[in-house]
Amino acid sequence: MTVIDIPGSKSVTARALFLAAAADGTTTLLRPLSSDDTEGFAEGLTTLGYEVGRTPDAWRITGRPTGPAVAAADVYCRDGATTGRFLPALAAAGHGDFRFDASPQLRRRPLGPLTEALRTLGVDLRHEEAEGHHPLRIAAAGIKGGDLTLDAGQSSQFLTALLLLAPLTAEGLRITVTDLVSEPYVEITLAMMRAFGAEPTRDGDVFTVPPTGYRATTYAIEPDASTSSYFFAAAALTGREVTVEGLGTGALQGDLRFVEVLRRMGARVDIAADRTTVRGTGRLGGLTVNMRDISDTMPTLAAIAPFADGPVRIEDVANTRLKECDRLDACAENLRRLGITATTGPDRLEIHPGTPRPAEITTYGDHRMVMSFAVTALRTPGITFDDPGCVRKTFPDFHHVFGAFRGRS
């Protein structure tokens, strides 16, 4: 059995940074993810005037329930979607003039449903170039609160940003959602808000959050379930056994459900209270699977699909076209480059069995392209990547850790 030490969850770390900054007191985050995305988020908080102290194993954030400590700031969000969507909501709850910009990659990704919701709440917000995209400028003067209707069909992060904001408003928020993808990420948000003293409730499509504010706490970051998917898939593909500790039946992250997909394909899966183990059986079966709620693991499944004994059809993942790249087309194009038959539709990807041949993977600067097709490379020597370093976004040591796994007998 191989035990893999997976770094902290990107999604949990980003939410914890927002909550800590908004809380009354000093919060300690244990084992937070240190990567380009999360370091960019912490840097953004510092630019907004929050006190952030970082050591290898713990970050300490002194919160400000009244908002940023500076009257004006220019925040660069790098490539981080959580940074570029959460920090404007945090700044809007304070007072001052705040500008947010991002990398060309993040500038392409949508913001419109979130920024329209903030305008509905009375926030003076202006997109400087393309409407609904970075860069944007906010003249913040606090938020009263009230009722909202939100379409979160492109990204659950729009809803998460508003939920995180809600306890900081004067009257709270009542949000009616008309469409929602990646719903488990919203459940992460609600659970973490409660851990910091908020009292969100959900009744079907309606989320109600009173203006409680937040309390500082000590919060441990669980390992990243999306990152774990590459090692679980590697075990299923190679017939080996992999255990990730710290991810079990009580895990917050819905992407742990990827192991159930592997179970359906023939792998043996054991989920205990504090760990998850996957063991390959020498067989991968084809299947049709809806991955709407775990779409970040879609590329992982695509990467091992050629080795299944029947077609793999992935459905209801239109939102992956709006990630760091168009992941549906990127996966299909790279699979074809490997000699595999792959077809796409507006929200689906179908992959037929075959023997991949060596080729260079076009990453489009997307960390998940590299980490997913690194799994394919376990059975296809000679696969290379045009930008292997883009894994720094979420897992800077990926190549070292995955290489060590690959080299173990």
Side-chain angles (χ1 to χ4, degrees):
M1 178 182 72
T2 301
V3 178
I4 303 294
D5 184 19
I6 300 293
S9 163
K10 179 189 76 166
S11 301
V12 174
T13 301
R15 286 160 175 77
L17 286 169
F18 183 112
L19 292 163
D24 186 9
T26 299
T27 290
T28 300
L29 305 182
L30 304 176
R31 294 193 76 244
L33 172 65
S34 182
S35 72
D36 191 71
D37 270 14
T38 57
E39 289 170 2
F41 200 120
E43 179 184 277
L45 289 177
T46 300
T47 302
L48 291 169
Y50 296 91
E51 294 181 18
V52 180
R54 290 184 278 171
T55 64
D57 295 323
W59 293 1
R60 291 175 177 82
I61 301 94
T62 301
R64 287 184 52 86
T66 56
V70 296
D74 196 330
V75 179
Y76 182 64
C77 300
R78 304 190 191 182
D79 287 337
T82 50
T83 307
R85 291 166 176 168
F86 295 179
L87 286 187
L90 178 65
H95 293 75
D97 294 313
F98 307 109
R99 182 179 181 272
F100 297 86
D101 201 357
S103 69
Q105 184 187 67
L106 186 55
R107 278 187 172 201
R108 291 192 295 269
R109 299 180 68 179
L111 275 176
L114 172 60
T115 53
E116 280 305 306
L118 292 174
R119 284 170 170 159
T120 298
L121 293 173
V123 176
D124 183 356
L125 183 152
R126 178 171 59 87
H127 292 281
E128 292 185 339
E129 296 182 16
E131 184 64 24
H133 295 267
H134 282 295
L136 63 90
R137 191 178 294 274
I138 295 174
I143 297 177
K144 181 180 178 182
D147 290 356
L148 282 175
T149 299
L150 177 74
D151 183 342
Q154 292 181 328
S155 174
S156 64
Q157 290 177 3
F158 303 148
L159 176 57
T160 281
L162 294 167
L163 290 170
L164 292 171
L165 165 66
L168 305 179
T169 65
E171 298 180 359
L173 291 179
R174 184 175 182 270
I175 307 168
T176 300
V177 178
T178 59
D179 191 17
L180 178 61
V181 294
S182 304
E183 186 171 345
Y185 283 97
V186 176
E187 296 303 322
I188 294 174
T189 302
L190 297 174
M192 292 184 66
M193 289 171 66
R194 295 182 186 114
F196 280 77
E199 300 172 2
T201 59
R202 178 180 184 180
D203 183 7
D205 296 330
V206 179
F207 297 79
T208 304
V209 188
T212 55
Y214 293 111
R215 297 189 302 271
T217 188
T218 297
Y219 193 89
I221 309 295
E222 67 187 28
D224 195 292
S226 306
T227 298
S228 299
S229 74
Y230 311 116
F231 295 90
F232 291 141
L237 180 63
T238 61
R240 295 169 61 180
E241 183 174 305
V242 162
T243 293
V244 174
E245 296 181 336
L247 277 181
T249 54
L252 293 177
Q253 298 164 83
D255 275 4
L256 184 57
R257 288 161 51 186
F258 179 73
V259 300
E260 299 298 338
V261 178
L262 296 177
R263 190 201 301 272
R264 288 179 57 192
M265 298 180 78
R268 294 184 180 174
V269 175
D270 177 46
I271 306 176
D274 61 349
R275 61 174 55 194
T276 295
T277 300
V278 172
R279 179 160 65 88
T281 60
R283 173 187 175 272
L284 286 175
L287 81 170
T288 296
V289 58
N290 185 308
M291 300 189 78
R292 180 182 178 88
D293 287 339
I294 57 170
S295 60
D296 275 348
T297 63
M298 178 277 289
T300 318
L301 178 56
I304 63 171
F307 304 101
D309 60 14
V312 171
R313 182 181 172 95
I314 303 168
E315 299 180 334
D316 206 2
V317 287
N319 66 306
T320 64
R321 293 189 180 277
L322 300 171
K323 298 287 187 175
E324 282 81 346
C325 68
D326 181 334
R327 286 181 179 160
L328 276 177
D329 282 351
C331 284
E333 289 169 8
N334 280 312
L335 287 165
R336 293 181 198 121
R337 195 170 287 115
L338 298 175
I340 301 300
T341 299
T343 59
T344 62
D347 68 345
R348 64 172 177 79
L349 172 64
E350 184 166 327
I351 303 152
H352 290 262
T355 301
R357 62 177 180 242
E360 182 178 73
I361 298 299
T362 303
T363 64
Y364 303 95
D366 188 339
H367 56 133
R368 300 211 185 279
M369 288 299 110
V370 177
M371 293 187 281
S372 296
F373 283 97
V375 182
T376 313
L378 293 173
R379 292 270 297 270
T380 310
I383 286 179
T384 59
F385 303 93
D386 66 351
D387 183 13
C390 65
V391 296
R392 62 186 173 272
K393 179 178 176 69
T394 53
F395 193 175
D397 290 335
F398 172 78
H399 294 295
H400 172 74
V401 176
F402 199 77
F405 163 81
R406 183 175 190 163
R408 292 172 186 161
S409 59

